[in-house]
Amino acid sequence: MECLAAFSSTSIYTPPASSFSRSRRSFSFACRIKPRSEAMRSSEVSQADPTKPKEAKLWGGRFEESVTDAVERFTESISFDKELYKHDIMGSRAHASMLAQQGLMSTSDKDSILRGLDEIERRIENGEFNWRTDREDVHMNIEAALTDMIGEPAKKLHTARSRNDQVLTDFRLWCRDAIDKIVTYIKRLQVSLLTLALKNDGLIVPGYTHLQRAQPVLLSHLLLAYVEELDRDSGRLLDCRARMNYCPLGACALAGTGLPIDRFMTSKALGFTAPLRNSIDAVSDRDFVLEFLSANAITAVHLSRLGEEWVLWASEEFGFITPSDSVSTGSSIMPQKKNPDPMELVRGKSARVIGDLVTLLTLCKGLPHAYNRDLQEDKEPAFDSVKTVVGMLEVSAEFALNISFNQEKIQKALPAGHLDATTLADYLVKKGVPFRTAHDIVGRSVALCVPRNCELRNLSLDELRSISDVFDEDVYEFLGVENSIEKFSSYGSTGSACVADQLDYWVAKLELK
């Protein structure tokens, strides 16, 4: 699965062309970039050299002692929050530009900072950046590296900004991109299911309630039920995105600042709708990610139900579908086995996504306002939720495109269960019989069939009239699954004309050519 750190993100601030007039080589001297003998992969995190004195923390002015190694290991978050690097750099670009606009730093300092951030981003993406646990988190790693590169101007970047509002800005930007990614994968699965529905248009399958055969339905109608559910999943995510798209930057630790910043400028530069109105709320609440993980959990439950249905249908007992070898696995001991493992794992991994939501709900339930260090623990459940949901969506779409429906076996299954019984009751209602009376008449008709192991359409007219004299020759136009399907006509039903309209709607909406 592709790394979530590779989410595409548009750079918000683009310095003037003159800023880039110098070559990379001359730029390294201008920014006083210190060469390193060994470049670490960006996926690695290094420990501080125990033989050297510990680097002073950027927040350590009032402290006389360094934290112990155990505390440093326990409190670091760089091992996972480096995922936010791109969004942290985006926020810093916008913040530096705003500070310069407001006269809180010079244009030359801003330009040095922007060039330095460009170089840091390049190093990270090329695997040349040294992530250090003694620098705690993604923010301090980038800020300390920037200070190493360009010196004093870098120290102005944290003006009117706390790590509290900084991390929330990064996290909202990350979640926003993650939602866009998930919505794209949802659409891919919808297209796969729609393609499968069109390919099998007209195929009738048993519809189930209580896992008992109930009424005949068109397979395309059943598949479109999942398309509808996924559409609501997408809508929930987009609604969540709209609510989360407000900017915390400038709220600082919790009370705001007395410096003349322009929060609307940074908000606009980062693509937010507006700044958050209340600085305490801005750094305290995590409802945006709770809502996000809740939407993911609902999506995962829908995918789990799809997985369960296809696992059942692939079994010998059902035999309705055959997955291709490319989406199946075998057994280490039973050579005859062919298992639909991907959909079993889709079913299983829903537990992780639900667990991620429960973890975050539990984390937030007892916290006072405003920021508490507990909230450092909000990232990993979110990262895992997104990674897992994307994987579930991706493999479900792959599976859908690599299965075939066993029409012969499905056809043999249709006579069992008297699936046309409700349609027969509708026939009687059309003749003026009250529905409860019609229900009883059809029930007694089914009772005639059970000992003879036959279908309703195999009963003679005399046998039917022995139960009710309302029955006439036209009753046979309502019996049998094919006739039954054609009688469904209510909006949204499984009738052929209704399903054709549904297919047309989704072909247009999903732009399927």
Side-chain angles (χ1 to χ4, degrees):
M1 186 186 302
E2 59 192 89
C3 175
L4 292 176
F7 280 0
S8 62
S9 179
T10 304
S11 175
I12 299 300
Y13 178 83
T14 304
S18 59
S19 301
F20 297 101
S21 59
R22 286 172 287 182
S23 67
R24 283 289 183 190
R25 180 173 295 182
S26 63
F27 158 70
S28 66
F29 290 106
C31 290
R32 299 198 294 279
I33 297 171
K34 296 180 180 179
R36 289 196 305 275
S37 57
E38 291 183 41
M40 294 191 62
R41 298 297 305 170
S42 61
S43 60
E44 298 175 345
V45 177
S46 69
Q47 304 291 331
D49 187 341
T51 65
K52 296 181 180 179
K54 288 190 174 182
E55 180 179 81
K57 304 292 186 185
L58 295 180
W59 44 260
R62 61 95 68 209
F63 290 82
E64 295 181 1
E65 295 179 274
S66 299
V67 297
T68 67
D69 290 343
V71 167
E72 192 161 83
R73 286 193 302 271
F74 188 70
T75 58
E76 67 84 18
S77 61
I78 188 58
S79 57
F80 55 86
D81 70 12
K82 64 182 186 292
E83 178 105 356
L84 302 173
Y85 80 88
K86 185 178 288 291
H87 305 91
D88 193 72
I89 290 171
M90 286 172 61
S92 291
R93 286 184 181 124
H95 190 64
S97 298
M98 181 275 294
L99 292 176
Q101 177 72 28
Q102 296 301 106
L104 293 169
M105 73 165 60
S106 68
T107 300
S108 63
D109 285 347
K110 176 203 71 174
D111 290 343
S112 293
I113 288 170
L114 294 176
R115 289 193 297 267
L117 290 171
D118 287 345
E119 175 62 13
I120 287 172
E121 184 172 34
R122 185 197 67 77
R123 286 185 179 185
I124 292 172
E125 293 181 349
N126 289 342
E128 301 169 1
F129 190 81
N130 184 14
W131 297 108
R132 291 172 46 172
T133 56
D134 60 328
R135 289 177 173 175
E136 299 182 36
D137 57 32
V138 63
H139 326 293
M140 301 297 263
N141 264 265
I142 290 174
E143 185 178 341
L146 184 65
T147 303
D148 290 345
M149 286 184 187
I150 67 173
E152 286 297 311
K155 297 180 180 180
K156 298 180 181 180
L157 180 57
H158 210 55
T159 303
R161 184 173 73 171
S162 163
R163 277 191 292 176
N164 296 357
D165 61 333
Q166 185 179 358
V167 67
L168 272 165
T169 302
D170 297 357
F171 201 20
R172 283 176 183 259
L173 290 169
W174 185 91
C175 287
R176 197 174 70 183
D177 284 353
I179 286 173
D180 292 342
K181 185 182 183 77
I182 293 171
V183 167
T184 298
Y185 275 88
I186 287 176
K187 183 175 180 181
R188 289 182 190 176
L189 177 54
Q190 287 179 298
V191 168
S192 296
L193 292 169
L194 178 57
T195 301
L196 198 58
L198 292 168
K199 183 179 177 181
N200 293 276
D201 190 21
L203 178 60
I204 301 172
V205 297
Y208 293 83
T209 61
H210 308 280
L211 206 53
Q212 304 295 316
R213 292 177 185 177
Q215 290 179 280
V217 297
L218 288 171
L219 174 62
S220 50
H221 191 221
L222 176 59
L223 294 172
L224 289 181
Y226 285 106
V227 174
E228 295 279 356
E229 290 172 353
L230 289 164
D231 199 54
R232 291 193 295 275
D233 294 333
S234 182
R236 268 185 288 271
L237 287 165
L238 293 174
D239 287 347
C240 171
R241 189 189 193 284
R243 268 184 291 279
M244 77 166 54
N245 198 38
Y246 288 83
C247 186
L249 197 57
C252 299
L254 79 161
T257 179
L259 295 171
I261 62 171
D262 184 347
R263 292 188 63 208
F264 287 88
M265 178 181 173
T266 47
S267 174
K268 183 178 180 181
L270 291 167
F272 288 110
T273 303
L276 284 158
R277 279 189 298 268
N278 185 294
S279 62
I280 296 174
D281 174 60
V283 298
S284 295
D285 209 4
R286 293 298 187 276
D287 59 0
F288 71 95
V289 70
L290 285 169
E291 184 179 4
F292 181 19
L293 267 58
S294 177
N296 279 353
I298 295 170
T299 301
V301 168
H302 284 154
L303 296 174
S304 179
R305 296 185 70 183
L306 175 64
E308 169 70 2
E309 193 142 62
W310 281 355
V311 167
L312 285 174
W313 282 24
S315 68
E316 292 292 339
E317 286 68 25
F318 278 79
F320 289 177
I321 66 170
T322 300
S324 73
D325 290 353
S326 62
V327 291
S328 304
T329 63
S331 165
S332 63
I333 190 171
M334 295 170 285
Q336 83 281 9
K337 293 294 295 296
K338 182 177 179 180
N339 301 323
D341 276 14
M343 299 313 293
E344 291 180 59
L345 280 171
V346 164
R347 188 178 59 191
K349 284 181 181 291
S350 63
R352 290 182 64 137
V353 183
I354 295 167
D356 290 329
L357 171 60
V358 172
T359 296
L360 200 57
L361 285 166
T362 308
L363 174 70
C364 294
K365 72 172 182 63
L367 294 181
H369 282 60
Y371 181 81
N372 299 275
R373 190 65 181 268
D374 313 50
L375 292 171
Q376 176 175 301
E377 294 299 303
D378 62 359
K379 311 298 180 305
E380 288 182 288
F383 295 164
D384 183 70
S385 176
V386 171
K387 177 181 177 181
T388 306
V389 165
V390 167
M392 292 169 72
L393 288 164
E394 184 177 30
V395 80
S396 296
E398 191 83 2
F399 198 86
L401 295 175
N402 286 279
I403 60 174
S404 58
F405 287 87
N406 303 324
Q407 298 195 24
E408 185 177 344
K409 190 151 189 178
I410 291 170
Q411 192 66 36
K412 288 180 180 178
L414 288 171
H418 310 290
L419 303 183
D420 49 358
T422 305
T423 309
L424 182 58
D426 289 346
Y427 165 83
L428 292 169
V429 169
K430 288 181 178 181
K431 296 284 187 177
V433 178
F435 179 77
R436 284 300 173 198
T437 304
H439 188 286
D440 179 69
I441 292 170
V442 175
R444 285 187 285 143
S445 301
V446 169
L448 278 180
C449 295
V450 172
R452 294 170 50 184
N453 194 27
C454 70
E455 300 177 56
L456 285 167
R457 64 181 175 180
N458 298 136
L459 295 176
S460 69
L461 185 58
D462 288 340
E463 289 172 318
L464 289 170
R465 281 180 169 166
S466 71
I467 300 170
S468 172
D469 59 8
V470 176
F471 288 116
D472 208 340
E473 288 286 353
D474 59 351
V475 69
Y476 294 102
E477 297 173 13
F478 288 75
L479 296 177
V481 293
E482 293 82 4
N483 287 331
S484 184
I485 284 289
E486 293 308 316
K487 297 303 179 184
F488 288 101
S489 58
S490 61
Y491 178 79
S493 73
T494 197
S496 298
C498 300
V499 173
D501 288 343
Q502 294 172 42
L503 287 168
D504 289 344
Y505 171 82
W506 282 110
V507 166
K509 184 167 183 177
L510 296 175
E511 301 174 323
L512 189 65
K513 304 299 182 183

